[in-house]
Amino acid sequence: MRKMRGSGVEWIGEIPISWDTTKLKYFCKINSGSFISNNDYDDEGEYPVIGGNGINGYCNKANIENCIVIGRVGALCGNIHLIDKESWVTDNALTVMVSEDSINNKYLYYILKAYDLNRVANRSAQPLITGTQVGNIEIPIIDQYTQQQIINFLDKKCSEIDSVIKAKETTNKKLKEYRQSIIFEAVTKGLDKNVPMKDSGIEWIGKIPNSWEVKKSRYIFEYNSGLTITRGELLDEGVPCINYGEIHSKYGFDLDLTRDSLKYADIKFLNYKQNSIVRNGDFIFCDTSEDIEGSGNCVYVSNSNNQDIFAGSHTIVARPIGNINSRYLAYLFSTNAWRAQIRNSVYGVKVFSITQSILKSTKIIIPPTTEQQMISDYLDKRCSNIDSVILANEKTIVKLKEYRQSVIYEAVTGKTEIVNHIKS
């Protein structure tokens, strides 16, 4: 076993006695990328355009090669990419270029993967990392032979872990597609394959059972707006309030207050915003989305636990009129085919807006009431079985990513002795 000593650097901890540490800026040049206009993008371009999320297009000019790219701002802040060919790096990313032969680009890449860059990000309206912060990171310094042995070890080990992660992700993708097909078949064709069918007159629906109807949403729901309230105005007590961010990322099908937790809006809103209250069976749609895929995201209240609930900012309340099974509708609304009606109508560039008018114009398939219940019961059972497998795979993926992170950290800080390769 090798002798270890304290590095004096909190994130590194102990290192082999022969290792040393220094600041990144002494070995690298750190700069911001450069602005590129939409007119400069070219699908046939020779050079990839690199931002905080990796390749986001191509162009016919380059501003760097052989560097590490770090997401500089926003949700992609801290993302790390190794670039080994001429590219254009945008102004929402930092470039880290090794300026001396004493440190290997790939080794530095693994060090930065081990170091959580979020720990240095400025916390303001959105996260931000500066070149100065990156330059002041203390890193382990070792000879090039040892660097290469660590690279070889991590390339092999991470490849093995990533192959398992990819297999799990592929399985989940197929399961989600299968789930979609089961739902679409049930909500458009029903459970009895022998009933007489008729043409719905709508391309995305095709044929439906004779006893079913198709109506515009404006005749199924009454619509209202959620509260005009920021996330910062939410409280630790008051009236439960669901905001659009939670619908996009957390509660994507139903809301059950015996299971789910929310922040609260001030009780003063009860005096003059009754139309923003949702109860069992009501739907809450997001009225904005940062991507086209999120257009149509909604949740329905399956159990309010006998409490008033406010729909929060950037939401639209849809309250069913008459006797209709909201759980059946929730399954219908989860299909890509139904959501395509919204996605084809939204407008925007960086943020897509979903208006009440767009929602009111969508078509809804309505089976008889008894069939609505039968379909929702059937889908509850089928989807529960699929979801349990998906959830188990997602948990495994999280653990594998944590394991990969620990493998990288242990190797680049010298805590893992790579037998027959790394010298102490």
Side-chain angles (χ1 to χ4, degrees), residues 237-260:
E237 58 182 20
V239 182
C241 181
I242 183 166
N243 64 58
Y244 76 107
E246 290 171 313
I247 298 171
H248 279 308
S249 63
K250 200 171 182 181
Y251 307 125
F253 185 75
D254 69 336
L255 176 67
D256 182 346
L257 284 193
T258 65
R259 176 195 68 202
D260 306 320

Side-chain angles (χ1 to χ4, degrees), residues 263-303:
K263 295 287 282 184
Y264 298 85
D266 196 306
I267 60 172
K268 67 182 182 182
F269 291 110
L270 290 173
N271 296 325
Y272 57 93
K273 290 296 290 185
Q274 287 289 317
N275 287 340
S276 297
I277 291 175
V278 291
R279 300 182 178 88
N280 287 353
D282 291 350
F283 285 80
I284 310 104
F285 284 85
C286 297
D287 74 2
T288 57
S289 174
E290 292 183 358
D291 53 47
I292 196 70
E293 290 77 16
S295 300
N297 281 357
C298 64
V299 65
Y300 92 98
V301 182
S302 61
N303 189 343

Side-chain angles (χ1 to χ4, degrees), residues 9 18 22 67 72 86-87 89 106 117 150 158 182 209 215 240 254 259 273 288 292 317 323 331 337 360 387 390 394:
V9 180
S18 61
T22 192
C67 71
R72 185 178 66 83
E86 285 188 291
S87 306
V89 177
K106 189 70 173 289
L117 283 166
I150 291 175
C158 290
I182 289 173
K215 293 184 178 180
D254 69 336
R259 176 195 68 202
K273 290 296 290 185
T288 57
I292 196 70
V317 176
N323 185 23
Y331 277 117
K360 288 176 181 179
D387 289 344
I390 292 173
E394 287 176 345

